[in-house]
Amino acid sequence: MVDNGQSADDLVQRGLALHKQGRLAEARLLYDAALDREPGHAEALHLLGLAAYQQGDFDGALIRIEAAIHRRPDIAKYHSNRGNALKEKGRLEDAMAAYRRAIDLDPTFTDASFNLGVALREAGDAAGAAQAFQAVLKATPANLDARQNLATVLYSLGQHDHAINLFGEVLKVRPNA
């Protein structure tokens, strides 16, 4: 499966193709091979962490993603995925800090804003969650998940009419939502 002549970047790309197909064990072999070629390859570390996260190994995910961040602290998706692993471990405050760091690095990275909104909602900060979901919708107006989550938090804040309108917009596109 692993061609000894391939660069670490090539191995990561092959692994990512398998990863996207859900073939995590095979992808991880390629990420490991990339690390053999280039120890500390940030994207290989990150993707190994992401695969560990997807397999429920949140400690392993954190170790690898934090190693990737150590190598490349400027990559927003690394911080957001670190936040996801922290959230799964019940470290909500740390997760929110990771999402905020991702947003600081790339204000257009709506995944981090969405994840922050979910975490804020879980922490009981409906107003903060509403702001995060509104930021997602400003950048991606067609995002139905953000629209539905915004409707939920606005309803909890007593903004029933606005929430009902948003729910109606979601139901037009997703009748079973």
Side-chain angles (χ1 to χ4, degrees):
M1 177 186 226
V2 177
D3 178 354
N4 287 336
Q6 289 189 305
S7 72
D9 288 338
D10 289 339
L11 290 166
V12 167
Q13 288 308 308
R14 281 183 53 208
L16 184 57
L18 293 169
H19 197 143
K20 289 177 179 178
Q21 296 171 18
R23 297 166 59 183
L24 297 180
E26 295 168 88
R28 290 178 80 161
L29 289 173
L30 289 167
Y31 301 147
D32 283 331
L35 289 169
D36 288 343
R37 303 254 190 312
E38 188 180 321
H41 190 286
E43 188 64 4
L45 288 165
H46 169 251
L47 290 169
L48 270 171
L50 187 56
Y53 172 86
Q54 291 169 313
Q55 293 176 317
D57 177 9
F58 306 122
D59 290 324
L62 279 172
I63 289 167
R64 288 166 184 86
I65 294 170
E66 287 174 352
I69 289 170
H70 178 74
R71 295 297 217 171
R72 292 291 313 270
D74 59 323
I75 306 292
K77 69 180 176 181
Y78 295 1
H79 292 275
S80 186
N81 285 330
R82 178 176 178 263
N84 292 340
L86 289 164
K87 185 172 166 286
E88 289 296 330
K89 289 187 57 64
R91 295 172 52 190
L92 201 52
E93 291 297 322
D94 293 333
M96 289 187 288
Y99 298 140
R100 286 185 176 107
R101 179 67 182 132
I103 294 164
D104 288 345
L105 288 168
D106 183 358
T108 67
F109 185 46
T110 57
D111 287 354
S113 294
F114 184 89
N115 292 337
L116 177 61
V118 171
L120 286 164
R121 186 187 68 222
E122 288 180 17
D125 183 356
Q131 288 178 333
F133 294 129
Q134 286 166 339
V136 173
L137 288 171
K138 183 177 180 184
T140 56
N143 187 318
L144 291 177
D145 292 326
R147 191 171 306 277
Q148 185 169 348
N149 277 279
L150 177 59
T152 300
V153 295
L154 289 178
Y155 195 86
S156 74
L157 291 168
Q159 296 180 32
H160 300 143
D161 289 341
H162 190 188
I164 289 168
N165 287 335
L166 289 170
F167 280 129
E169 292 171 11
V170 170
L171 289 171
K172 284 178 188 174
V173 179
R174 273 192 210 150
N176 297 325

